[in-house]
Amino acid sequence: MQLHSLVDDISLACLPQKDEDPETRAEGVAARQAGFIYGPSLIGQAAPFPNGTLGNARTRSDMEVWNVDRTEIDNAVAKDVKVIKAAIAANGGLNTLDDYTDVLYKGEWENSNPLEEAPGIMTNYTQDLLFSMERLSQNPYPLRLVDPSDPLPFHIPDNLTEDITGASFDTLHKSRNLFVVDQPKRYGAASTAYFYIHPVSKDFLPLAIKTNVGSDLIYTPLDAPMDWLLAKMVFNVNDMFHSQMFHLVATHDVSEAVHQAALHTLSEKHPIMIILERLMTQAYSSRIVGEQLCFNPGGHWDQLFYVNNVGCRQFVTENWPTHGAFQSGYLETDLRTRGLINEDGEFKFKSFPFYQDALKIRNVFRDFFTSFVDSYYTSDDDVKADFEVQNWFAEAMGAAQVNDFPDSSPSSLNKKTLVDVLTHFGFIVSVVHHGLNGGDPVGSKATLPFHLNALYAPLPTEKGVTDLLPFLPPPENAVHYIGFLATFNRPFYRTSNRTLEYAFSEDSMLQRLNGQTRDAAATFVDSMKNFSKEIRARGFDENGLSLGMPFVYRTLDPGYIPYFSAV
């Protein structure tokens, strides 16, 4: 399939200071600057959205490509929904907790989710280790260390903590073994949870969950199993909201703002522009789709989730300055800031699956972009002589409203900075995006009954729950929810070279770039294919664990996730 593009230039890439026709080049940049206009942000107040003659043409083109894929996945979902509704009817409804795993899933979504659910995610969801390790794999972004100098979000009596962990609360805190997920309360999904590293087993485990609403109950693993399971489900409502809204800000908004700055300043002949265009395949469809189908009044979000579209927009607006910060989002920088790794990139956990996988992919990106930058810029002086890149950086910090982007001063603008910026750009549209969104939720982090999108009964005012069914979505809502999640999946990308392995393998792109970049692109493919094989070979060890977890983590498989933010 040939993806649409407004870039018709097929000339060889070159830097502006080496262009033999600088006047024509400058005219092209001026035309793009006039044709791409910064329009109002979509879905809250964050990154601007392209308007103008060229901006509108670009968004129409991206929507055309998106609609082709959406039609294919919609047809697959429709087939699956027909089968699943028949299965529910034959079962007489969803009458037990097990029905939510055995009837709703078990291969029923074979067209829209042919990979099926991640091994262990449906069978081991009651295990505390699964719940806690999801913080180090499925959504690591809200987790942080409770530093010994930090105030405590809430307190737990020492005798209770000692019964659970074998150590006092104060000891866990002062030894830097206490962690928290504490989300803003004003969006509705408000629970706060403590996690800890066990002083003997060194397992990463949950300590307590505080609901922050209603009777503001605090649950622990010492509570009755039904109460404790409900508490973890309440937390997952919170986690689902955070992961999806964080992904919108940290991937779509950030990448679009940086790319729009490039559209205003870089020639179509600039090698960086050629790379960015590849990584921004159909990118300007996503927020339009969000406005039209997801976050519109009465849309999917209002129908299915606890926090409505107004709360979602509020989250985007209020968190754009922080979650949208560019350099602060660099992989190690972010994890160090939250106390999850030290200055040497080491972690205290037995395993940190997201970081371990993400680091491998990030390093492959870095290797590619190091070769790419070295091939076009002999020295830092060559970068400083590239006035288009200078203008790009200045535009990003200015009109494009990118937070925490490197400045264009001589002390900042060098080869290393370029490699860092390009590496992070590739990282957010692939790893960060598909680590939280895309095809993973339907088969992993958003599977029912454990990973709830909303509660369908009020929170209890006291402990002693004996039946969880009232809190779960009824059959019609459950099918709607899973079907909605499945529409974000793109299983057919595996056969159309649109997975991360092939990020830099388009012939028309490579023909415009130099030989060193083509060689680096070939190495990129090989490295990603090898890592994909490693992920696909994962299974359970003799203890029933995979990477220290009771489920198989395959979210970041380069042979499955797209190289761009597909939805």
Side-chain angles (χ1 to χ4, degrees), residues 32 186 225 346 356 421 424 450 520:
R32 283 155 64 90
R186 57 191 172 279
E346 301 166 334
Q356 290 168 271
V421 166
H424 188 57
F450 187 51

Side-chain angles (χ1 to χ4, degrees), residues 131 191 209 219 226-236:
F131 173 66
S191 60
I209 298 172
Y219 293 87
M226 202 73 75
D227 282 327
W228 179 232
L229 183 56
L230 175 62
K232 290 186 286 186
M233 289 175 168
V234 170
F235 176 92
N236 281 339

Side-chain angles (χ1 to χ4, degrees), residues 441-492:
V442 69
S444 189
K445 67 172 55 67
T447 48
L448 297 174
F450 187 51
H451 306 94
L452 289 178
N453 50 307
L455 296 178
Y456 285 77
L459 278 173
T461 57
E462 59 183 12
K463 297 177 183 180
V465 168
T466 58
D467 185 9
L468 294 179
L469 280 179
F471 299 97
L472 304 183
E476 183 177 351
N477 298 74
V479 173
H480 181 186
Y481 177 57
I482 300 172
F484 172 65
L485 295 173
T487 63
F488 289 77
N489 200 12
R490 294 293 183 269
F492 41 86

Side-chain angles (χ1 to χ4, degrees), residues 331 352-363 427 431 531 534-535 538 547 553-558:
L331 179 60
F352 193 166
F354 171 82
Y355 174 54
Q356 290 168 271
D357 283 2
L359 183 64
K360 289 180 181 179
I361 296 175
R362 197 288 309 276
N363 287 344
F427 184 78
V431 172
F531 186 43
E534 178 183 326
I535 290 178
R538 287 174 181 166
L547 301 180
Y553 183 62
R554 59 189 188 186
T555 299
L556 299 180
D557 180 0

Side-chain angles (χ1 to χ4, degrees), residues 107 137 329 400 415 492 509:
S137 56
K415 291 172 63 174
F492 41 86
M509 177 192 74

Side-chain angles (χ1 to χ4, degrees), residues 372-498:
F372 169 76
V373 169
D374 283 346
S375 73
Y376 282 99
Y377 300 94
T378 303
S379 66
D380 289 341
D381 288 338
D382 289 337
V383 178
K384 294 176 175 62
D386 187 341
F387 54 86
E388 287 184 0
V389 161
Q390 291 179 20
N391 293 339
W392 175 35
F393 276 46
E395 185 83 6
M397 292 187 298
Q401 304 173 39
V402 183
N403 299 297
D404 191 31
F405 200 75
D407 62 48
S408 56
S409 65
S411 61
S412 175
L413 192 53
N414 52 43
K415 291 172 63 174
K416 180 183 180 302
T417 302
L418 268 187
V419 171
D420 288 344
V421 166
L422 294 172
T423 296
H424 188 57
F425 192 93
F427 184 78
I428 62 174
V429 300
S430 58
V431 172
V432 181
H433 184 278
H434 300 295
L436 298 174
N437 190 260
D440 180 73
V442 69
S444 189
K445 67 172 55 67
T447 48
L448 297 174
F450 187 51
H451 306 94
L452 289 178
N453 50 307
L455 296 178
Y456 285 77
L459 278 173
T461 57
E462 59 183 12
K463 297 177 183 180
V465 168
T466 58
D467 185 9
L468 294 179
L469 280 179
F471 299 97
L472 304 183
E476 183 177 351
N477 298 74
V479 173
H480 181 186
Y481 177 57
I482 300 172
F484 172 65
L485 295 173
T487 63
F488 289 77
N489 200 12
R490 294 293 183 269
F492 41 86
Y493 280 7
R494 292 176 294 175
T495 58
S496 58
N497 290 354
R498 285 185 280 175

Side-chain angles (χ1 to χ4, degrees), residues 7 34 41 65 69 73 143 149 175 183 187 197 204 208 223 228 231 276 375 410 416 423 432 454-455 506 549 558:
V7 180
S41 179
V65 179
D69 292 342
I73 195 64
L143 181 72
S149 63
S175 63
Q183 300 294 2
Y187 305 113
I197 297 175
F204 182 68
D223 286 319
W228 179 232
L276 292 179
S375 73
K416 180 183 180 302
T423 296
V432 181
L455 296 178
E506 185 188 33
M549 307 189 294

